[in-house]
Every structure is written in C-alpha cells, then in structure tokens.
Amino acid sequence: METLPLKGREIVVGVTGGIAAYKAVEVVRRLKKLGAGVHVVMTREATEFVTELTFREISGQQVAQDMWEKAPQYHVEHIALARLAELVLVVPATANILAKAAAGLADDLLSTTLLATKAQVYYAPAMNTGMWENPATQANLAVLRQRGARIIEPASGALACDATGKGRLPEPVAIAEEILSYFQKGQRLRGRKVLVTAGGTEEPLDPVRFLGNRSTGRMGYALAEAAARAGAEAVLVSGPTALADPVNVRVIRVRTALEMQRAVQAEADADAVIGAAAVADYRPAEVAEQKIKKNDGELTLRLVRNPDILAGLGAEKRRGQVLVGFAAETESIAEYARRKLEKKNLDFIVANDVSQADAGFGVPTNRVQIFYRDGRREQQPLMEKQALAGLILERVADCLADK
Ligand code: PMT
C-alpha cells in the first residue's frame, strides 16, 4: 500500500494579493501530491493575480472567497474552515494580511478564518524589501510569532519591482517541505512496524449463529490510527466491525480467533504488537453444516479452547519487540492484569474495568490502569479512546527506545 505522508491531513491555504500568488498554485499542487486535503481561501485581491478556477482545478475542491456566499460550501464557512484545518498556510502573505492578523481584524473570509482557528498557522510572506523591513511589519511578525504562528522567512534576490533584497517567496518545494516536516516532527515511530488487533471474534455454531462479544473495535482502530499518525507502518487485524478502515493503515479483516491468529502470525515481524481485540477463549467444538433446529429439550454446546494469540507471540518474543496487551476485567483488576502481564510475557498491559458504563466495550471513552514489568502502575483518568491511543503509542515508543 502506497502511504502518502500527508494522507488524511486537512490544510487550509490562504492566498492573498501579491505577485507571488502564482507560486501558491505550485504549493497547493505539491501538498495535494503528498496526500493532503487542501482547501483554498482567496482574498478578493488574490483573484486579481490568479483565477479561482486554477486553484479549484489544482486542489480538486471548491475555493472559498466570500463571507456572504449565497450557497456556501460549508455551514458558517469561516468557522467550518477554521475547525477543519489542522494547519493554515498563508501563501503569499502580504504585509496587509500580517497587519490584519496581528491586530485581530476579521473583515473577510481569510482574516476571519485566521482569527477563529486553533490550528497551527504558517505565514509565507512575500513583499517588497522596504515593506518587509518596515518596523510596522517586523512588529506584526513579532506579535504573530509570540502567539505561536510560524513564519517561513522570505528569500533574498531579484523582486518583481525591479529591486533586489529580502522579500521573495521561497521556492514552493521548500514551503511544501516545511509543512511536511511540521507533520512529521514528533513522529516517534517512523520506520517502525506496529501491529494492532481490534474488535471481537465470531465463533460460528452453524451457518447463521455465532458466539461473539460486545467489542466494537473502537479502541483498536484508534490505536492503529495513532500508530499511523506517529509515522509507523500500521497494520490492523480486525474482527468484524461496523467501522471504516482508518487512514494510512493496512487492514486485514478476519472472523474467528483461528483466522486472527493466522493473520497475526503472518505479520509478527512487527516492532510492536498491541492486542486490543477481545478474542474468544473458546469456540464450539463442532460447527453444524445446517442450521441447528430447535426441539423441546435443552441444547448443550461443547466448547474447545482457542489458542491465546498474544501468549503465543510472548513465548517466541523477538529481540527488541514490544508486546502490549489489554485486560478486560470486572473485579480484582490489578491482580488479574499483573498475572496476564507475566503469563503472556508482555512489556505492559492496559487494564480496563469493563463493568463501568463509560469504559471498556462500545463506548467512545475509556479509563485504564497501565501495569509495567518493573512493577510500576499508572492510573489514567477518563478520556476519549483517541486520546488514550495516543498515550499508549507514546509508551510504546518509550519502550522501543529503551530496548
Ligand atoms: O472494541 P471496543 O468496543 O472499543 O472495546 C475495547 C475493549 C474493551 C475490547 C478493549 O479495551 C479491551 O479490553 N480488549 C481486550 C479484551 C480481552 O479480551 O481481554 P482479555 O483479558 O480476555 O485478554 C487479555 C489479552 O490477551 C488481550 O490483549 C487479548 O487481545 C489477548 N488475547 C486473549 C485471548 C486470546 N485467545 N488471545 C489473545 O491474544
């Protein structure tokens, strides 16, 4: 599977009215090629330099321009764009937009989006040297930097106004690289392979019935997604779920515990394996070929043990490999979790009390304790499964770094 480094990222590109606006077309093209979803906002002045049609064709998205559009692309467009953006890049950024952003003015779609967004903002200024060096511009830049914005410094060279000096927009390739490196920083699992299991298994009784459990796959899918975000080659072995494949994750769908074991073993060269699946410990000894008919008496099912997938990996643990398990418990949590940690030869185990309404199966949140080999115990507060997944992947990266 080809993994595009910015796949799943949403970037808003603000284009303002400077001669370098034509270079923004190439920036948008490159970000798109890296896999990002690119949403262009143009100021009225920008449209004097490049047409909206050009950006629409290159980005593959409607271009936003007007606060008062009759049929806007989004409901309350500036807020929608501000929320959607993981990063806002203003390219080229004129002295005027820098001044407006520093002052907190919001008199068009781009300045309003800049005021409303909580995303990281990058400005790529381009202007005449005199405007760049003007203390007003430098003071505005200082204010924006102090508030967390990042400035892609202009280059020196020949300017459109026949002068030579600082103020040229850097080459589009350099701007796209800067944005790429922002997303890749902190990717502690770059070059690593992380295998995650998720969901419950289904153990068939006959062609229409199975033994299953209440796992929805949410926890495991969040883990696989977090692994991919941290730069890992992420592989997800998933039992049947209603969830869509996460972005940048290779998904292998299975049904039974035996199928899950086979898929996990085929991918076991991973640097880290996280077992979030609720694997059936038993399966029916026989699977009836035809639908089992009811009769007046009782029905007795004979169950046989399924293999313990994680314990199997633990028994043949690879050098430097990190193994992480989950423990779904309803009582004596610490005792049972520590027992599983030892028995399955894990590096740490994440224990959730599945008797609580806001933790464990099905719900979007979880509350866990993490038990480590050296006896440490970490109690985590209630949080979204996505946030917990990020935290667990940080712990995985710590363990890998220690080995
Ligand atoms: O999917 P969600 O609805 O989001 O719910 C999340 C969850 C509750 C399923 C998840 O947080 C969780 O606790 N997963 C593990 C559930 C479980 O089966 O726990 P266990 O205590 O029975 O198993 C311990 C560990 O061994 C687990 O990592 C499990 O994947 C693994 N195991 C268990 C049995 C088996 N035959 N093979 C295994 O590999």
Side-chain angles (χ1 to χ4, degrees):
M1 185 181 72
E2 192 196 5
T3 50
L4 296 170
L6 293 183
K7 188 154 177 227
R9 303 294 192 178
E10 300 295 344
I11 300 175
V12 168
V13 173
V15 185
T16 64
I19 185 69
Y22 77 94
K23 287 191 181 174
V25 177
E26 180 60 13
V27 174
V28 169
R29 195 186 68 81
R30 284 180 179 272
L31 293 176
K32 189 95 204 313
K33 225 171 146 214
L34 291 167
V38 184
H39 311 263
V40 176
V41 183
M42 297 179 80
T43 61
R44 203 196 56 73
E45 293 73 18
T47 62
E48 300 285 338
F49 293 89
V50 185
T51 67
E52 172 257 338
L53 180 65
T54 307
F55 281 109
R56 187 175 2 129
E57 288 301 314
I58 297 291
S59 69
Q61 310 258 11
Q62 290 293 334
V63 171
Q65 278 182 60
D66 194 349
M67 293 273 283
W68 316 111
E69 207 81 63
K70 290 273 183 307
Q73 198 181 349
Y74 306 104
H75 177 62
V76 196
E77 197 135 30
H78 62 289
I79 303 294
L81 282 165
R83 280 204 190 129
L84 166 115
E86 287 176 74
L87 183 145
V88 181
L89 165 67
V90 185
V91 56
T94 56
N96 186 52
I97 192 73
L98 297 174
K100 285 201 318 192
L105 289 178
D107 63 354
D108 62 8
L109 189 55
L110 179 58
S111 53
T112 314
T113 303
L114 287 167
L115 195 62
T117 193
K118 290 194 164 43
Q120 175 66 54
V121 179
Y122 271 80
Y123 293 95
M127 63 195 76
N128 155 276
T129 308
M131 292 167 89
W132 171 255
E133 288 174 350
N134 190 297
T137 302
Q138 291 302 315
N140 291 332
L141 288 165
V143 166
L144 293 171
R145 275 197 192 96
Q146 195 222 331
R147 291 184 193 144
R150 298 190 190 182
I151 312 298
I152 301 174
E153 287 282 315
S156 295
L159 301 172
C161 52
D162 276 349
T164 303
K166 197 164 177 179
R168 269 171 70 96
L169 191 74
E171 289 311 309
V173 59
I175 297 174
E177 280 297 318
E178 180 94 22
I179 301 306
L180 178 63
S181 76
Y182 165 79
F183 282 110
Q184 290 186 330
K185 257 181 215 137
Q187 289 201 313
R188 298 181 66 201
L189 294 171
R190 181 148 286 280
R192 303 287 199 171
K193 175 174 172 180
V194 176
L195 172 63
V196 180
T197 67
T201 59
E202 289 182 0
E203 308 299 329
L205 281 161
D206 69 12
V208 297
R209 303 184 180 92
F210 59 83
L211 296 180
N213 62 65
R214 288 173 39 226
S215 172
T216 56
R218 277 174 126 151
M219 190 66 246
Y221 276 56
L223 286 160
E225 217 161 42
R229 256 201 318 274
E233 175 198 348
V235 181
L236 176 65
V237 176
S238 169
T241 74
L243 303 175
D245 289 1
V247 168
N248 278 339
V249 174
R250 181 153 58 86
V251 183
I252 302 166
R253 295 201 180 253
V254 296
R255 186 174 180 215
T256 64
L258 289 175
E259 285 173 20
M260 185 171 276
Q261 184 193 36
R262 272 195 294 276
V264 165
Q265 276 173 350
E267 299 289 341
D269 59 346
D271 297 286
V273 182
I274 309 176
V279 186
D281 289 318
Y282 294 89
R283 67 179 184 279
E286 289 101 32
V287 182
E289 271 182 34
Q290 306 301 332
K291 186 180 165 196
I292 299 170
K293 289 288 172 199
K294 64 174 170 289
N295 55 35
D296 292 339
E298 290 178 351
L299 175 69
T300 305
L301 293 174
R302 196 166 66 84
L303 303 178
V304 293
R305 275 302 301 263
N306 267 331
D308 189 314
I309 301 170
L310 215 44
L313 295 182
E316 293 172 9
K317 199 165 180 177
R318 290 160 192 251
R319 225 181 123 83
Q321 191 176 47
V322 170
L323 292 183
V324 179
F326 271 72
E329 308 295 350
T330 53
E331 56 170 344
S332 310
I333 292 171
E335 185 194 331
Y336 290 141
R338 284 195 200 284
R339 212 181 280 172
K340 287 176 185 171
L341 176 74
E342 287 296 327
K343 201 165 156 216
K344 299 182 195 230
N345 194 18
L346 307 176
D347 290 79
F348 64 88
I349 191 157
V350 183
N352 32 207
D353 179 352
V354 293
S355 66
Q356 295 177 23
D358 52 7
F361 291 95
V363 286
T365 50
N366 212 348
R367 185 188 292 103
V368 303
Q369 300 180 56
I370 305 178
F371 296 90
Y372 295 89
R373 287 306 275 242
D374 60 8
R376 273 179 307 131
R377 184 185 73 100
E378 243 180 76
Q379 172 78 56
Q380 294 297 337
L382 184 72
M383 62 179 93
E384 297 287 323
K385 283 180 176 166
Q386 272 82 7
L388 176 61
L391 186 145
I392 291 169
L393 266 301
E394 282 294 318
R395 302 296 182 269
V396 167
D398 292 343
C399 285
L400 282 169
D402 284 349
K403 288 205 175 201

